[in-house]
C-alpha cells in the first residue's frame, strides 16, 4: 500500500540533505514541535548519514519535541546514544498480528521486533509514537477493527502515543489494483470511530489524522457526514474525550452495519457496495 517506491529519488547526497536543512532553517521560526518526515528510516545510515543527522539534531536542539520515524532494525543502543532527549521515535508497527504483518502488509519484521525497539527507545529516555494501519487488504471492516484494537493493547506497553492510520489507496500500488477492481474498500470512518471509542483505558495518547480522509481513496463515510466525522476525530485527538465522537450521527451508520453483516455472511473483504454504484464500478 505504500506509494513511496514510485516517488523516491536515487542518488541523494549528504550535500543535498544539508542544502535541504539550510532551506528549512531559513523558514524555521522556533516552532516547538518539529517533525522530520522521511517516510522511511531516519536512523538508517544509508538514508540519512550520521553527520547529517547530527546537524539536524543540533539545529532543532531547542525544540520541545523532535519526531522522526525508523524501522526497528536500525534501532540499537549505540545509535540511540546519539539521539537528543527531545526526540520521539515513531515506529510503524501497523499490526500486532504476525500473520497480518506478513500476509497483508509484507512488512518484513515481526511485532516483537517493534516491541523490542520500543522498549529500548524508552530505556534510552526517549518517547515512542506507534503507527497502526487500519484495514490492510484481506481484512473486512470487523476484522480490521478487532485487529487495530488488539494492536492498541499491544502497543500501549511501549508507546507514549498511538496513531491510527487508516489505509489510503496510493497510486501504482498493488492495493490500488485490487481497489480498482472492487476487491478492496478503504475503511469507513465509522470503523475508525469504533476503534477510538472501544480502545478502553490506554496509557498512551490515542490519535488519528487520516491522510486522504473523506475521499474514495481514503477513510470515508457518505458524502454528507465524512467531513464532520473527521472533524470529530480531530477534536478527539486533542481532547482524548470519547464524548467528542458521540457528536457524529448520520443515516449511513445503518449502511455501515449492513456492510459488516454482508461481509461476514459472504466471507469476503471485497467492496460489497461497489456493484450498486456505477461510477465506482467503472473505476472512476
Ligand atoms: Zn453519512
Amino acid at each position: 500500500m505504500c506509494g513511496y517506491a514510485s516517488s523516491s529519488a536515487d542518488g541523494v547526497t549528504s550535500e543535498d540533505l544539508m542544502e535541504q536543512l539550510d532551506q528549512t532553517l531559513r523558514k524555521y521560526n522556533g516552532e516547538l514541535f518539529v517533525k522530520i518526515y522521511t517516510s522511511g528510516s531516519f536512523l538508517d545510515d544509508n538514508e540519512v548519514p550520521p553527520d547529517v543527522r547530527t546537524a539536524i539534531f543540533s539545529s532543532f536542539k531547542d525544540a520541545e519535541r523532535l519526531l522522526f520515524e525508523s524501522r526497528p532494525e536500525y534501532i540499537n543502543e549505540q545509535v540511540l546514544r546519539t539521539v537528543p532527549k527531545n526526540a520521539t521515535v515513531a515506529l510503524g508497527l501497523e499490526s500486532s498480528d504476525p500473520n497480518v504483518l506478513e500476509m497483508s502488509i509484507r512488512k518484513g519484521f515481526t511485532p516483537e521486533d517493534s516491541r523490542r525497539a520500543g522498549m529500548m527507545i524508552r530505556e534510552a529516555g526517549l518517547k515512542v509514537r506507534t503507527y497502526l494501519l487500519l484495514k490492510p487488504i484481506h481484512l473486512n471492516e470487523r476484522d480490521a477493527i478487532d485487529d487495530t484494537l488488539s494492536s492498541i493493547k499491544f502497543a500501549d506497553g511501549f508507546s507514549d502515543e498511538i496513531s491510527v492510520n487508516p489505509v489510503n489507496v496510493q497510486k501504482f500500488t498493488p492495493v490500488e489494483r485490487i481497489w480498482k477492481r472492487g476487491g478492496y474498500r478503504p475503511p469507513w470512518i465509522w470503523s475508525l470511530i469504533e476503534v477510538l471509542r472501544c480502545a478502553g483505558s490506554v496509557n498512551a495518547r490515542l490519535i488519528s489524522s487520516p491522510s486522504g480522509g473523506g475521499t474514495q481513496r481514503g477513510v470515508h463515510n457518505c458524502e454528507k457526514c465524512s467531513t464532520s466525522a473527521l472533524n470529530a476525530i480531530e477534536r478527539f485527538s486533542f481532547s482524548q474525550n470519547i464524548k467528542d465522537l458521540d457528536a457524529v450521527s448520520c443515516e449511513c451508520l445503518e449502511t455501515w452495519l449492513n456492510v459488516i453483516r454482508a461481509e461476514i455472511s459472504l466471507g469476503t473483504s471485497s467492496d460489497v457496495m461497489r456493484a450498486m454504484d456505477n461510477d465506482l464500478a467503472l473505476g472512476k
Side-chain angles (χ1 to χ4, degrees):
M1 67 292 298
C2 174
Y4 293 119
S6 59
S7 56
S8 307
D10 286 328
V12 177
T13 63
S14 289
E15 289 69 38
D16 295 331
L17 294 173
M18 291 304 290
E19 173 60 28
Q20 200 177 9
L21 175 62
D22 283 344
Q23 286 194 24
T24 305
L25 289 174
R26 266 176 244 145
K27 295 180 203 155
Y28 180 59
N29 286 317
E31 285 83 356
L32 293 176
F33 188 2
V34 175
K35 181 176 179 181
I36 301 169
Y37 194 63
T38 54
S39 302
S41 291
F42 186 68
L43 299 179
D44 173 6
D45 291 352
N46 291 318
E47 215 170 309
V48 184
D51 56 327
V52 177
R53 271 205 306 267
T54 306
I56 295 174
F57 287 149
S58 82
S59 302
F60 298 111
K61 65 178 183 328
D62 295 327
E64 225 164 75
R65 292 188 63 196
L66 183 66
L67 178 79
F68 56 81
E69 57 187 302
S70 179
R71 285 173 64 96
E73 58 261 43
Y74 303 111
I75 292 163
N76 53 59
E77 283 166 2
Q78 198 185 347
V79 76
L80 287 175
R81 276 198 285 274
T82 69
V83 176
K85 295 294 179 228
N86 61 349
T88 299
V89 185
L91 298 171
L93 166 69
E94 321 299 6
S95 168
S96 61
D97 182 331
N99 289 325
V100 171
L101 270 196
E102 190 185 338
M103 311 301 285
S104 294
I105 306 180
R106 297 190 182 166
K107 194 73 184 182
F109 57 72
T110 66
E112 272 312 312
D113 292 331
S114 290
R115 177 162 46 193
R116 179 195 53 80
M119 305 292 264
M120 200 183 286
I121 294 163
R122 283 186 135 188
E123 271 165 34
L126 310 171
K127 289 196 160 65
V128 177
R129 172 184 284 192
T130 297
Y131 290 118
L132 301 179
L133 191 66
L134 177 64
K135 206 184 174 194
I137 51 167
H138 309 316
L139 269 66
N140 62 29
E141 294 287 328
R142 184 69 252 171
D143 290 343
I145 293 165
D146 292 342
D147 177 63
T148 301
L149 284 172
S150 332
S151 303
I152 289 171
K153 281 204 177 69
F154 179 85
D156 197 32
F158 56 86
S159 308
D160 298 278
E161 294 169 344
I162 298 171
S163 175
V164 180
N165 296 336
V167 165
N168 128 55
V169 179
Q170 297 180 15
K171 293 207 162 109
F172 314 119
T173 56
V175 170
E176 186 189 46
R177 281 202 300 279
I178 296 167
W179 169 72
K180 278 191 169 168
R181 64 176 193 236
Y184 177 77
R185 183 207 189 274
W188 286 73
I189 303 173
W190 293 121
S191 297
L192 177 56
I193 288 176
E194 180 85 352
V195 164
L196 300 174
R197 203 199 290 274
C198 299
S201 80
V202 277
N203 295 313
R205 277 183 71 80
L206 194 55
I207 55 179
S208 183
S209 179
S211 50
T215 70
Q216 292 297 322
R217 285 177 178 265
V219 64
H220 63 281
N221 282 353
C222 78
E223 279 179 7
K224 273 185 271 176
C225 73
S226 282
T227 304
S228 59
L230 289 168
N231 288 341
I233 288 165
E234 185 176 35
R235 283 195 299 277
F236 168 83
S237 294
F238 284 105
S239 72
Q240 300 292 288
N241 186 345
I242 55 170
K243 285 208 179 85
D244 281 329
L245 302 169
D246 295 338
V248 192
S249 71
C250 183
E251 60 215 23
C252 74
L253 178 69
E254 197 58 40
T255 313
W256 170 70
L257 289 168
N258 284 331
V259 164
I260 288 180
R261 274 184 225 114
E263 285 177 337
I264 292 169
S265 67
L266 293 168
T268 183
S269 59
S270 288
D271 186 352
V272 294
M273 282 185 66
R274 180 72 67 99
M276 289 179 257
D277 187 323
N278 272 332
D279 282 353
L280 284 177
L282 295 169
K284 284 182 187 168

